[in-house]
Amino acid sequence: MTSTAPHQSILDKPFVLDLFAGPGGLDVAGRALGIPSLGIEWDRSACLTRYAAGLDTLHADVSAVRRDAFESLPPEINVLAGGPPCQTYSVAGKGAGRKALNEVKDYIKRLMAEEKIDKDLENLSDPRTAMVLEPLRYAIQATRSPNRENRPYDVIVLEQVPAVEALWEHYAEVLEETGLPDGTKYKVVVDVLDTETYGVPQTRSRAVLIARREGLGEPSLPGPTHRAYDPKEWNRRQERDTASAHQPTLYDEAVSESEKQKNVDDDLQPWRSMGEVLAPHGRRTPFLVRSNYGSSGVPGRRGVRTDRQPATTVTGRISRFVVFEHLDENIVYEGPRFSMNEAGLLQSFPPDYPWSGTARAQQVGNAVPPLFGAHLLSAALGLPAPDPDVMKESWQPATEEKRAKLRSHGCGDAYECTARCPRPEDQIPVRSTMK
């Protein structure tokens, strides 16, 4: 169900708590919409990026904050958001995935019955299974918080890889039918959405959940603003062009690409290509990109796309994508690989976003595409769809003074991590690149 109702914000002053916040995709979206946010993130490098970007952050384990510091969170927070690591059952169609999903469902049932589950969770072979329960546990904790006067969150927004749709459906069933232990119930919508249909220059599918507390109206999914990318149609078109008398080069003007797409649906804009996004920032066109996404390391299965197409899913392997240039004269050579700012642009981050710390490619790949996040938040809150150009402006990094203040709040010291910060050796297993 997509939104067709008149736009009227359901909250006077939305304030987002972003669990598993990463380098700031959803927070960047919130800032573009004028919505404040607080992110909780345990990866040190992702926090360094967030501090450099000027984003309010707690360098902490999400579960530890819930247990030990929930009452210190701003009481005005009324929107809960996040994408918990869900690798333990991301193979939902297989036996191991179904078993893990059934295990999670049982824990959810016990949570709603107010049973104690922490000791059982400590014995799990994979601690990430416990992490997928955290959004629900935060929702319950909010109703028991004296600092909040026991007020539940008004809106919940969750997203993850498509295989997690089955879990979101179970979340929806619990939130709508069973309700939280205090009796609070929500209206919920769940679906799998494609990010290129919201102006992100990348084909990336996400399972999303949007919930509104009863009394705040029916929630709806964001309506698409751009055409979906169909690889089969693209291949058929290339075959027709090759068979015609005119032999096109691999790069056509963006206007020609728009002409090819516009007649399919006059209400939707053309999907955005890599060349359209990267050329204004110095990337030479034409180019080809060979990625190993979905190849399992087998060279013959690697995907190849031209700059006239959207990128394949940007993962932590984005720095390994090989870029070939100088194609228009039948001379092909390997050009420079994508910089982190270019990889960020393919995720719809603003130009010059201040990526910091180590494992920057992993940070980019794990992030929520900000433009997609802006559409999710807008739909969840009843706001109009964001301007497709909202992320094009250069990002103003935080001053040294601001960065020190943010880190003092997030880590306990203006210049370094402290004993309250998660230890790197505890951050195992490593985050998946599937995000």
Side-chain angles (χ1 to χ4, degrees):
M1 177 175 58
T2 57
S3 177
T4 57
H7 298 293
Q8 184 176 1
S9 178
I10 63 169
L11 300 178
D12 291 334
K13 295 181 179 180
F15 190 147
V16 178
L17 177 63
D18 185 8
L19 309 180
F20 314 99
L26 201 63
D27 306 76
V28 171
R31 179 171 292 188
L33 299 173
I35 299 171
S37 63
L38 169 63
I40 304 177
E41 174 55 42
W42 78 342
D43 180 75
R44 177 180 179 273
S45 290
C47 286
L48 291 178
T49 295
R50 295 177 60 86
Y51 297 146
L55 302 176
D56 199 7
T57 303
L58 291 179
H59 183 197
D61 185 312
V62 164
S63 58
V65 172
R66 173 184 50 78
R67 289 193 308 267
D68 306 325
F70 193 91
E71 292 303 298
S72 68
L73 296 176
E76 60 268 30
I77 288 173
N78 49 16
V79 179
L80 179 68
C86 297
Q87 297 91 327
T88 49
Y89 53 85
S90 62
V91 286
K94 300 180 181 179
R98 287 194 300 271
K99 180 179 178 181
L101 181 58
N102 288 334
E103 185 177 43
V104 171
K105 287 181 177 179
D106 180 63
Y107 282 121
I108 290 175
K109 181 179 178 181
R110 292 173 61 186
L111 275 176
M112 294 300 98
E114 302 192 75
E115 292 184 26
K116 302 295 185 182
I117 64 172
D118 288 317
K119 282 194 174 181
D120 290 346
L121 292 177
E122 288 175 1
N123 297 323
L124 292 174
S125 59
D126 191 330
R128 293 172 298 188
T129 300
M131 289 294 99
V132 304
L133 298 170
E134 285 300 333
L136 190 56
R137 301 189 79 175
Y138 266 75
I140 294 171
Q141 188 73 16
T143 67
R144 300 169 176 168
S145 168
N147 190 42
R148 296 179 52 84
E149 298 180 346
N150 302 334
R151 287 182 294 104
Y153 295 118
D154 293 313
V155 173
I156 301 173
V157 180
L158 305 176
E159 64 85 43
Q160 246 296 342
V161 294
V164 177
E165 183 183 17
L167 176 64
W168 294 163
E169 292 284 5
H170 189 66
Y171 258 63
E173 180 181 341
V174 168
L175 291 172
E176 287 190 320
E177 298 179 12
T178 307
L180 302 180
D182 76 327
T184 299
K185 292 186 178 181
Y186 292 80
K187 297 292 185 180
V188 189
V189 288
V190 174
D191 206 349
V192 174
L193 305 178
D194 298 322
T195 60
E196 83 273 13
T197 65
Y198 299 95
V200 179
Q202 172 195 176
T203 53
R204 184 189 194 99
S205 298
R206 309 301 292 171
V208 302
L209 175 151
I210 295 177
R212 290 182 183 175
R213 185 171 52 79
E214 280 190 339
L216 293 176
E218 292 285 339
S220 59
L221 299 166
T225 54
H226 292 66
R227 279 196 59 210
Y229 172 74
D230 184 345
K232 292 182 179 179
E233 174 56 32
W234 173 269
N235 291 335
R236 285 194 293 267
R237 193 169 71 212
Q238 298 310 296
E239 290 172 1
R240 290 195 299 268
D241 288 344
T242 302
S244 69
H246 171 64
Q247 297 294 324
T249 64
L250 286 173
Y251 181 71
D252 292 328
E253 295 295 333
V255 105
S256 299
E257 190 59 51
S258 297
E259 286 293 321
K260 292 175 182 178
Q261 296 188 55
K262 73 177 183 179
N263 292 327
V264 176
D265 192 330
D266 291 336
D267 293 331
L268 298 178
Q269 301 178 52
W271 41 254
R272 302 177 70 195
S273 68
M274 291 184 282
E276 176 188 353
V277 172
L278 298 183
H281 298 278
R283 170 61 65 169
R284 288 183 57 181
T285 55
F287 63 79
L288 289 173
V289 180
R290 186 182 70 198
S291 76
N292 59 359
Y293 178 71
S295 67
S296 300
V298 180
R301 292 174 57 189
R302 290 174 179 166
V304 176
R305 291 192 182 180
T306 76
D307 58 303
R308 292 184 293 129
Q309 297 167 271
T312 55
T313 300
V314 173
T315 72
R317 299 188 182 98
I318 183 66
S319 58
R320 303 181 195 175
F321 289 11
V322 182
V323 182
F324 297 98
E325 295 182 344
H326 210 71
L327 308 171
D328 51 346
E329 297 177 9
N330 296 319
I331 302 173
V332 178
Y333 61 84
E334 186 173 333
R337 299 196 178 190
F338 291 137
S339 68
M340 286 304 96
N341 276 346
E342 288 180 315
L345 285 165
L346 296 178
Q347 277 275 61
S348 75
F349 275 88
D352 305 320
Y353 194 69
W355 302 101
S356 305
T358 60
R360 298 183 185 185
Q362 191 75 27
Q363 292 183 50
V364 176
N366 278 348
V368 177
L371 184 54
F372 181 61
H375 280 276
L376 292 182
L377 288 177
S378 295
L381 297 170
L383 301 172
D387 187 319
D389 295 332
V390 70
M391 301 299 171
K392 285 188 176 181
E393 296 183 8
S394 293
W395 189 265
Q396 186 65 41
T399 63
E400 287 298 326
E401 181 182 5
K402 174 69 172 178
R403 197 176 307 191
K405 183 177 180 180
L406 288 169
R407 188 158 192 183
S408 180
H409 176 234
C411 292
D413 187 277
Y415 302 102
E416 60 185 5
C417 288
T418 65
R420 82 182 197 192
C421 298
R423 299 179 303 173
E425 57 266 31
D426 291 336
Q427 299 182 24
I428 297 172
V430 177
R431 294 271 185 91
S432 166
T433 58
M434 293 183 66
K435 230 182 168 185

